[in-house]
Amino acid sequence: MIIQRVVLNSRPGKNGVPVAENFRLEQSTIADTVQAGQVRVKTLYLSVDPYMRCRMNEDTGSDYLQPWQLSEVADGGGIGVVEESKHHNLAKGDFVTSFTWPWQTVAILDGDSLQKLVPQLVNGRLSYFLGAAGITGLTALLGIREKGHVAAGANQTMVVSGAAGACGSLAGQIGRLEGCSRVVGIAGTDEKCSILVQEMGFDAAINYKKGDVAKQLRELCPGGVDVYFDNVGGDISDTVISQMNQNSHIILCGQISQYNKDVPYPPPLPPDIEKIQKERNITRERFLVLNYMDKQEASVVQLCQWIQEGKLKVR
């Protein structure tokens, strides 16, 4: 059977910015027959995520991420429908997902590597299993529960950077659902800021490309910052950290401003910001959602419940 697939064509270099030419779309073939324990799946959705920038390097800088190989098919989170099955637990028409889904139109996969999906849990919106009810939603929920130390009634203010992104937009809403009294987002356009406030229920949002971020932050968080959901790192994070309270908490989710640079993860803070962090006893521990997979099932149930109740808005 002839298929189309996306392979890694070249590497951008550790300090390079990725370009379209780093990838190549090509025709390939897969077997016409499915072996025992396998299924043939048609790809419906693929998730393209920031962490994949690290996989474009020969050395990902991480022990849990494998690099993509040159001229080999790329892979990541994906969803598809079973077209043919020789696996005892999967039937034609079943929807399935995997973290290592190949970027190709049709694939033959080991049935044991796939998780069956129940579309009704997300009101039929299958792609949510790669977003709000998938690894993205789990990252937001478990990040807040494991590293945020949010307590209902404690009058905490949460700031989210990269707040209009897949993870950030959920994190702000979940912060509120878990008990934060004030949630402020940081994003890059007026339109994004407007969506955060009008649709996602954030109290306020700052366009970091306009005006003085530090000044706006002081005005919008008069009591300081208790919880910071950090997706971006760099100057924005330094500004937020400088306004954090004693014994506050950073949820270190991502550092996207640093991904095209050859720096360790998490990147070290500038000396003056590191001094503030230590003096105020601000926690900044690496957070990796894969370390909490024992809580995955219950957390997905919670996320799906919020989606069905309309408490978690998704775009």
Side-chain angles (χ1 to χ4, degrees), residues 142-205:
L142 290 169
I144 288 166
R145 286 186 171 173
E146 298 297 327
K147 300 291 185 185
H149 302 273
V150 172
N155 198 29
Q156 290 164 298
T157 294
M158 172 188 273
V159 171
V160 183
S161 58
C167 194
S169 62
L170 298 170
Q173 295 178 79
I174 292 169
R176 166 85 81 235
L177 289 165
E178 290 288 285
C180 285
S181 59
R182 186 163 182 75
V183 179
V184 175
I186 302 174
T189 69
D190 288 343
E191 184 193 7
K192 289 177 182 178
C193 290
S194 171
I195 288 166
L196 290 174
V197 174
Q198 292 174 15
E199 290 184 32
M200 307 285 186
F202 283 62
D203 292 286

Side-chain angles (χ1 to χ4, degrees), residues 6-7 12-13 25 35 38 42-43 56 71 96 100 125 132 149 168 202 206 211 225 250 266 269 273 286-287 293 300:
V6 174
V7 302
L25 180 66
Q35 303 298 317
Q38 292 182 329
K42 179 184 178 183
T43 301
M56 295 178 78
S71 294
V96 290
T100 54
R125 302 207 171 188
H149 302 273
F202 283 62
I206 295 168
V225 179
I250 299 168
L269 296 169
I273 303 298
R286 185 171 185 170
F287 170 72
M293 284 297 102
V300 169

Side-chain angles (χ1 to χ4, degrees), residues 58-78:
E58 208 159 349
D59 174 11
T60 64
S62 167
D63 48 10
Y64 66 92
L65 282 182
Q66 295 300 313
W68 284 330
Q69 299 302 321
L70 290 172
S71 294
E72 294 290 329
V73 68
D75 70 297

Side-chain angles (χ1 to χ4, degrees), residues 98-146:
S98 161
F99 287 137
T100 54
W101 197 283
W103 287 12
Q104 57 192 60
T105 48
V106 180
I108 293 174
L109 302 174
D110 177 1
D112 287 342
S113 70
L114 301 171
Q115 185 182 349
K116 199 190 298 192
L117 298 173
V118 182
Q120 294 86 337
L121 290 175
V122 287
N123 302 329
R125 302 207 171 188
L126 273 174
S127 65
Y128 282 18
F129 285 116
L130 292 180
I135 201 77
T136 316
L138 287 170
T139 300
L141 177 58
L142 290 169
I144 288 166
R145 286 186 171 173
E146 298 297 327

